[in-house]
Amino acid sequence: MRNRPKVVLVSIDSRFIHTNIALRYIKAFTKDLEYDCLMMEYTIQSPLMDMLDDILDCEPDMVGFSTYIWNVEQVSRISRLIRLARPSIRLLFGGPEVSWNAEESLMGLKGDYIIAGEGEETYRELIEKCLDNMETSGSFSLGDNDEVRGLATIRNGIPMVYPPRDKMDLARLPFPYSMDEDLSDRIACIEASRGCPYSCSYCLSSAEKDLRFRSVASVMDDVESLLKLGAKLVKFMDRTFNAHPDAAEVFRRIISLDTSAVFHFEMSPSMVNDAQMEVLKEAPPGRIQFETGVQSTDENVLHLIRRHSKGFREGLLSLLTLGNIHHHLDLIAGLPMDTMESFRRSFNEVYSLGPDVLQLGFLKIIRGTPMESEVKRWGMVHSPFPPYQVISTATMGRADVGRLKAAEKALDKYHNSGKFVNSLTYAASFHEDPLVFFEGLGNALDSEGYRVRSPSSDDYYRIFLMYSARVLEMKAGFEPGLMRDLVKYDFLLWNRRQGIPFFLERIDKDTNDIRRKLKREEGVVGHVEWFENDVVSHISGNERNPGPVAVLFDKSRTHGKIITL
Ligand code: SF4
């Protein structure tokens, strides 16, 4: 045994851009202790055997994992491999996926320690006691008589769960990131509170009742530090950010920062108040993003999932009318008693609000939540594997769920990508039922074999053009040529190459002379394309000039500009 023991904390995220704040917190909370703590970051795609070599090459005495619904299978496999390769290494697990039933998780994962609940103080006491025990026995592990509140361990082959620990005072939280990290291409996370004021039956946070807040000063100190590390996207991890009594003041200070960074918050429209609205209307466009879980607009469904809805609709509409904030709204399919018809109403109502992103998710039966005990009551069949997604319910059959999956795929690729904004706006002026439109678009993708693989970029545009022309051709006033031009316009906003796909029908008119003239006389360099229709005036709501028109897409490609010849 070396003098200083070593702990490797392993984060496995869905994408490398994410940064695990939980492991950073426990590392920072113990940085004064006489041990070495390394963090190793992987994604769920990382090859297991490479991870194993990486971790073992560090020669750790203990390996800790942060365990979530999306990584529990990889955590289970890599920890088993470590156990096989080096049985003496202590295995520690924490996170929501193991906290709800520490005893079962300990046995299932064949771990040495499970932290149930908040990690910082429990982890610190575990390390302190392991260090003490190492002094006397030489082993970096808990002594036979050591007890740690909030921890579960194995004693004589039997799982032992110690009593829970009181929730910590958030004033004790350190700044979690190391000051030599580069956050310029990663999502920087921050917490202003812990706990949630609500009790939605499908959510593990509903069990956490101790809602606690950090001071505005400490939150803003952390924000300043994140910006010094180059953060461009700062994500507040709070379950309901604006439950914070000083939410308006945090918004005010963030809005007054001299930065181009974007700040993301999860909001409850029911808790939006006049003070927050007054401040938010001053936000520069692009500074603030809100994520709001609508889940359903059906009052009965909301009641059955114990979701607070008083003042929600009014608050959401107020936020949406501000016009300077990026809105991400969530809906969940498969909730108790939700039918295709009630879900269709929810979807169409929320889509009509014009969110920048509308995420259609499917209910997950998370273990340890009240919903888990209601599965039979609602006739739910769900996957036994993480993320435990619902397959069918008493009121929504498997085929219905399949139809919504098709809609979800098309919604994600076409609406949420932001790449079809002008084409979709035109289509929306002819179809009455957005959910049916997206379901059909998703089916069009599936029918070309794209259920389990992704189309090429060109195919997304081709399938959209073909599908929208087919379903809208009989609608009064629909112009297939204008739709083609709008798809071509959207394509050119996002694609910088010179050529365009054949189905967008390039007009055979010279653009070289125009480009040379623009460069010579105005110093402008960009792509010039001819359109049959005056798409630029159509998009801006002005009277259309007779076509064809030449449109310049400059280097920024944020919009096209008509060239007057
Ligand atoms: S779903 Fe959101 S609002 Fe509801 S309990 Fe969970 S964190 Fe709170």
Side-chain angles (χ1 to χ4, degrees):
M1 172 70 69
R2 299 174 303 272
N3 283 338
R4 278 175 75 90
K6 188 184 284 178
V7 175
V8 170
L9 299 175
V10 178
S11 142
I12 305 178
D13 260 305
S14 52
R15 290 187 300 147
F16 184 70
I17 192 171
H18 296 290
T19 55
N20 184 308
I21 193 174
L23 292 182
R24 283 176 171 79
Y25 265 133
I26 63 172
K27 181 176 180 209
F29 200 64
T30 52
K31 71 172 182 229
D32 57 314
L33 299 183
E34 290 294 317
Y35 83 121
D36 293 326
C37 185
L38 299 181
M39 246 198 84
M40 310 198 67
E41 300 187 277
Y42 302 96
T43 70
I44 50 177
Q45 286 85 29
S46 300
L48 277 181
M49 299 311 281
D50 292 347
M51 288 170 66
L52 179 69
D53 289 342
D54 250 11
I55 294 167
L56 294 185
D57 283 353
C58 296
E59 300 193 4
D61 299 285
M62 184 185 293
V63 179
F65 297 94
S66 180
T67 316
Y68 301 89
I69 197 169
W70 66 82
N71 72 4
V72 63
E73 296 201 323
Q74 286 83 355
V75 166
S76 168
R77 285 181 199 156
I78 186 66
S79 59
R80 280 177 66 186
L81 290 175
I82 293 170
R83 182 63 93 212
L84 279 172
R86 206 74 61 78
S88 62
I89 293 176
R90 307 283 160 179
L91 296 176
L92 165 71
F93 302 89
E97 188 61 13
V98 296
S99 282
W100 69 279
N101 188 347
E103 187 176 327
E104 187 185 305
S105 303
L106 197 56
M107 300 307 280
L109 289 165
K110 302 197 186 333
D112 295 290
Y113 309 115
I114 298 260
I115 292 176
E118 210 161 56
E120 291 84 0
E121 291 181 332
T122 304
Y123 177 74
R124 184 179 174 93
E125 192 178 336
L126 170 68
I127 298 300
E128 284 171 340
K129 292 212 157 121
C130 288
L131 286 168
D132 288 348
N133 188 46
M134 196 176 82
E135 294 261 306
T136 51
S137 72
S139 166
F140 184 67
S141 60
L142 278 187
D144 289 344
N145 298 317
D146 285 335
E147 292 188 9
V148 178
R149 280 186 171 267
L151 194 80
T153 187
I154 302 280
R155 293 285 187 210
N156 303 318
I158 298 167
M160 169 74 76
V161 181
Y162 296 116
R165 174 181 294 274
D166 289 344
K167 292 281 176 10
M168 77 183 287
D169 176 357
L170 297 190
R172 299 188 65 213
L173 279 178
F175 178 63
Y177 291 85
S178 153
M179 286 315 284
D180 57 8
E181 286 197 62
D182 176 4
L183 296 178
S184 56
D185 58 357
R186 307 196 67 187
I187 299 173
C189 299
I190 181 170
E191 289 179 323
S193 62
R194 283 188 181 171
C196 179
Y198 298 123
S199 307
C200 309
S201 61
Y202 54 83
C203 175
L204 263 182
S205 293
S206 58
E208 256 183 70
K209 279 295 140 247
D210 296 299
L211 182 56
R212 291 152 293 152
F213 306 103
R214 295 177 66 205
S215 71
V216 174
S218 61
V219 170
M220 291 311 298
D221 282 350
D222 283 8
V223 166
E224 297 280 359
S225 299
L226 292 174
L227 296 181
K228 278 190 194 134
L229 297 178
K232 296 197 177 82
L233 175 57
V234 178
K235 181 171 183 180
F236 278 75
M237 303 300 285
D238 311 73
R239 299 303 186 184
T240 305
F241 173 78
N242 61 329
H244 197 300
D246 297 320
E249 180 58 14
V250 176
F251 286 141
R252 191 188 68 72
R253 295 200 193 185
I254 281 173
I255 287 166
S256 66
L257 290 170
D258 180 16
T259 178
S260 58
V262 175
F263 294 81
H264 181 102
F265 304 88
E266 286 197 28
M267 294 285 284
S268 167
S270 303
M271 290 191 162
V272 171
N273 57 32
D274 292 347
Q276 291 168 27
M277 289 298 292
E278 272 305 301
V279 175
L280 288 170
K281 68 184 184 197
E282 303 301 330
R287 174 69 53 91
I288 289 185
Q289 294 182 348
F290 283 160
E291 181 169 345
T292 305
V294 179
Q295 321 312 20
S296 170
T297 61
D298 188 288
E299 286 297 332
N300 183 43
V301 172
L302 292 170
H303 171 72
L304 293 175
I305 58 172
R306 290 162 235 167
R307 194 163 169 84
H308 182 85
S309 63
K310 191 158 174 259
F312 190 98
R313 191 179 300 255
E314 299 75 13
L316 181 59
L317 290 175
S318 303
L319 289 173
L320 286 161
T321 50
L322 284 172
N324 54 350
I325 287 168
H326 182 280
H327 285 279
H328 173 137
L329 303 183
D330 296 323
L331 285 172
I332 299 180
L335 292 171
M337 300 306 286
D338 211 7
T339 61
M340 275 301 273
E341 184 50 30
S342 58
F343 186 81
R344 190 183 68 78
R345 282 195 300 271
S346 293
F347 183 96
N348 289 349
E349 187 180 345
V350 174
Y351 187 78
S352 72
L353 298 175
D356 299 282
V357 172
L358 172 54
Q359 189 171 331
L360 195 176
F362 295 85
L363 181 66
K364 295 167 183 65
I365 308 298
I366 297 174
R367 296 184 299 168
T369 61
M371 185 63 81
E372 189 190 21
S373 60
E374 296 178 15
V375 159
K376 274 206 179 119
R377 181 177 173 201
W378 307 121
M380 289 170 174
V381 177
H382 66 90
S383 166
F385 309 114
Y388 317 114
Q389 189 167 304
V390 154
I391 296 167
S392 63
T393 73
T395 50
M396 199 177 268
R398 191 208 58 78
D400 292 336
V401 174
R403 288 170 58 192
L404 294 180
K405 280 191 193 149
E408 185 262 340
K409 182 179 353 181
L411 181 73
D412 197 49
K413 298 297 179 199
Y414 291 101
H415 178 81
N416 294 346
S417 70
K419 294 181 177 175
F420 289 77
V421 62
N422 299 300
S423 326
L424 277 173
T425 303
Y426 186 58
S429 61
F430 295 99
H431 64 72
E432 298 86 32
D433 193 323
L435 183 61
V436 168
F437 181 82
F438 282 108
E439 181 191 335
L441 188 50
N443 288 337
L445 286 167
D446 287 351
S447 69
E448 296 218 13
Y450 294 127
R451 190 189 291 260
V452 290
R453 62 191 174 94
S454 293
S456 66
S457 169
D458 286 6
D459 271 354
Y460 277 122
Y461 292 89
R462 180 180 60 75
I463 291 170
F464 180 87
L465 185 58
M466 182 193 68
Y467 169 76
S468 56
R470 176 163 55 80
V471 298
L472 302 177
E473 67 180 346
M474 302 307 285
K475 302 283 183 185
F478 177 72
E479 297 176 51
L482 180 56
M483 177 56 99
R484 173 174 286 106
D485 275 356
L486 287 165
V487 173
K488 182 156 75 173
Y489 183 93
D490 281 338
F491 177 89
L492 287 164
L493 287 181
W494 286 91
N495 292 277
R496 282 160 193 269
R497 61 183 203 237
Q498 279 298 315
I500 60 170
F502 71 93
F503 52 86
L504 294 178
E505 295 183 10
R506 170 165 272 170
I507 296 176
D508 191 16
K509 276 171 81 79
D510 182 61
T511 57
N512 288 335
D513 285 349
I514 303 172
R515 283 195 284 116
R516 276 191 220 104
K517 185 164 176 261
L518 281 169
K519 190 172 178 189
R520 191 175 60 242
E521 294 178 6
E522 298 179 35
V524 175
V525 179
H527 178 92
V528 175
E529 193 69 39
W530 283 95
F531 290 77
E532 289 287 0
N533 297 277
D534 178 0
V535 279
V536 177
S537 299
H538 169 83
I539 290 165
S540 52
N542 297 327
E543 198 174 320
R544 274 155 58 186
N545 298 307
V549 296
V551 177
L552 166 72
F553 295 84
D554 69 12
K555 280 195 164 167
S556 69
R557 298 227 178 178
T558 52
H559 60 277
K561 188 175 142 200
I562 291 229
I563 302 162
T564 312
L565 300 168

